[in-house]
Amino acid sequence: MTIAPPSARSSFRRFHRLRRSAALRGSIRETRLDPSSWILPVFIDARARDVTPIASLPGHARWPVSRAIEIAQRAAAARLGGLLLFGLPDEKDDGRAAADPLGPVPAALRAIRAAVPDLALIADVCLCEYTTHGHCGVVRDGAIDNDATLPLLADAAVAYADAGADVVAPSDMMDGRVAAIRAALDDAGHAETAILSYAAKFASAFYGPFREAAECTPQFGDRAGYQMDPANGREAMAEIAADIAEGADMVMVKPAGPYLDVLAAARARYDVPLAAYQVSGEYAALHAAADRGWIDLRRAAVESLTGIARAGADVTITYFALEAAEWLR
Ligand code: PBG
Ligand code: ZN
C-alpha cells in the first residue's frame, strides 16, 4: 500500500525544520537560563576553622565567618543574583541563638555587605539550626508551640536586617510568621527590608542532605505537623494567598522538581515574584546518579533548571548556581 506524503495534508507541520541546527534551536528557545535569577545557598558555621566540605552536598562546604567573603566573591564573579545564608551556631539552645547579633549569619552579612556589594543578600529565618531538638519552632510539652515561636522568628529577622540583609526568608512554616516579621521589621526601622516567604513548603524527603549539612534533623518526630502534605496543591494556593496578605514581597515553592504543577499554578494565580527552591535532595540525587555514570550531570542539571524556569519561577535557589553559571558561559 502507498502512503501519501504527510505534506499533502494542509494541517501538517514539519517541526523538524526549526531543529536542524544549534543556532536555529537557540533562536527560537522559549525559556532562557540566566544566572542573575539564581540564588546560591551558603552555610556559615560559627565553629568551623576552615572551609569544611559537606559530604552530602558535593561541591559545597561550611564556611567560617572569616572566609565568607570568598564564596560571595565567587558568586559575584559568576554574576549570580545573590546568596541565601544559613547559620550553624556555636551552641544550640531553645532557638534564641538565631537572633544573636554576633551569630554566624549576622557576622557573615556584615562582612559580605561591606566587601561584595553586588549581590542580593537573603537570610534564611528559622530556629531548627539553633535548637537542641532540631524543630523549626518552640517545643512545649513535646509539641510545637506556633504562637510562642513568632517572637523568636521576628527577633531573628530584625537581627539579620540590622546586619544588612536585603531580604529575610522565613522557612519555619509557622502560621502568622510573615505578619509578625513584617511588624517587627517596621518597628525596628526596616521598612525597606523585603520578605521572601517559604509559602508552599512541603514536608519532603528531599531535605535529607541539607539536614546533615545544617545539623537540623529533628531529634523526635518529624515536620509533618507544620510543613505541608505533599499531596495538597489547593492548600498550597491558600498558603501563598495568606502569606501575600500578611505582607510577603515574594513567595516560594519548595521543593521545585516534584512540585512544578504548584509552581505553574502559583505563577498563573499570583503576581508577586515567585521563587523555587531546588533543594538538597534534588541536587544530591543528580550527583549520585551521575557518579554512577547513569546520567550526564551537566545536561540533567540544565534540564532541571530549565523545567523550573519554564514552570514559572522568576528566581531559583539552587546548589548548581555556581557550576551552572560556568556551563552557560
Ligand atoms: C529548615 C530548612 C530546610 C531547608 C531549608 N530550610 C530543611 C527542613 O525544613 O527540614 C531545606 C533546604 C534543602 O534541602 O536544600 N527550616
Ligand atoms: Zn527550620
Side-chain angles (χ1 to χ4, degrees):
M1 139 181 158
T2 55
I3 298 176
S7 11
R9 282 184 272 125
S10 62
S11 61
F12 180 75
R13 246 179 100 180
R14 214 172 270 287
F15 291 100
H16 294 188
R17 281 181 194 135
L18 296 179
R19 296 177 194 158
R20 293 178 67 223
S21 71
L24 267 175
R25 293 189 293 273
S27 70
I28 61 159
R29 187 155 293 135
E30 297 176 28
T31 305
R32 292 173 197 279
L33 296 182
D34 179 355
S36 71
S37 70
W38 293 339
I39 304 292
L40 179 72
V42 173
F43 299 90
I44 310 292
D45 187 345
R47 297 155 315 173
R49 305 224 163 276
D50 267 310
V51 181
T52 312
I54 301 167
S56 58
L57 288 173
H60 287 264
R62 295 185 191 147
W63 294 80
V65 172
S66 61
R67 298 190 56 185
I69 289 172
E70 287 172 43
I71 185 74
Q73 281 167 337
R74 271 188 230 171
R79 299 193 176 280
L80 301 186
L83 306 179
L84 174 61
L85 299 183
F86 294 95
L88 288 88
D90 250 334
E91 262 183 89
K92 295 177 190 284
D93 58 16
D94 59 357
R96 271 164 225 286
D100 180 357
L102 303 177
V105 168
L109 283 167
R110 282 189 293 269
I112 297 168
R113 173 58 66 221
V116 193
D118 294 339
L119 291 170
L121 299 183
I122 308 175
D124 184 89
V125 176
C126 199
L127 302 189
C128 57
E129 297 103 305
Y130 301 90
T131 53
T132 49
H133 48 69
H135 276 291
C136 301
V138 169
V139 171
R140 206 159 274 166
D141 301 327
I144 304 297
D145 187 334
N146 182 92
D147 297 8
T149 306
L150 303 183
L152 275 69
L153 296 169
D155 286 351
V158 169
Y160 305 155
D162 284 343
D166 299 298
V167 181
V168 292
S171 66
D172 51 281
M173 286 298 278
M174 296 304 123
D175 291 322
R177 90 267 210 218
V178 174
I181 288 171
R182 184 69 270 160
L185 288 173
D186 291 352
D187 268 1
H190 292 300
E192 302 293 329
T193 305
I195 299 175
L196 161 59
S197 84
Y198 288 65
K201 175 173 176 178
F202 292 87
S204 172
F206 289 90
Y207 303 151
F210 174 97
R211 291 184 188 170
E212 203 173 311
E215 292 177 356
C216 67
T217 306
Q219 297 305 298
F220 64 89
D222 57 30
R223 303 207 204 289
Y226 44 105
Q227 297 180 348
M228 288 191 60
D229 184 327
N232 294 357
R234 290 194 301 272
E235 187 187 3
M237 298 302 108
E239 280 275 10
I240 292 169
D243 283 6
I244 293 172
E246 288 182 31
D249 300 284
M250 308 168 71
V251 294
M252 188 196 298
V253 173
K254 173 189 178 189
Y259 299 89
L260 293 184
D261 59 325
V262 175
L263 208 50
R267 167 73 303 147
R269 194 147 159 178
Y270 303 109
D271 289 327
V272 296
L274 182 59
Y277 196 146
Q278 183 182 48
V279 301
S280 58
E282 299 179 75
Y283 174 83
L286 294 187
H287 264 278
D291 282 352
R292 295 186 169 203
W294 290 347
I295 61 172
D296 179 278
L297 182 67
R298 178 174 168 162
R299 286 185 54 211
V302 168
E303 185 176 332
S304 68
L305 290 166
T306 300
I308 293 164
R310 193 191 60 239
D314 300 300
V315 179
T316 303
I317 299 158
T318 173
Y319 298 92
F320 285 115
L322 276 178
E323 50 193 328
E326 201 52 51
W327 295 334
L328 292 190
R329 261 173 213 275

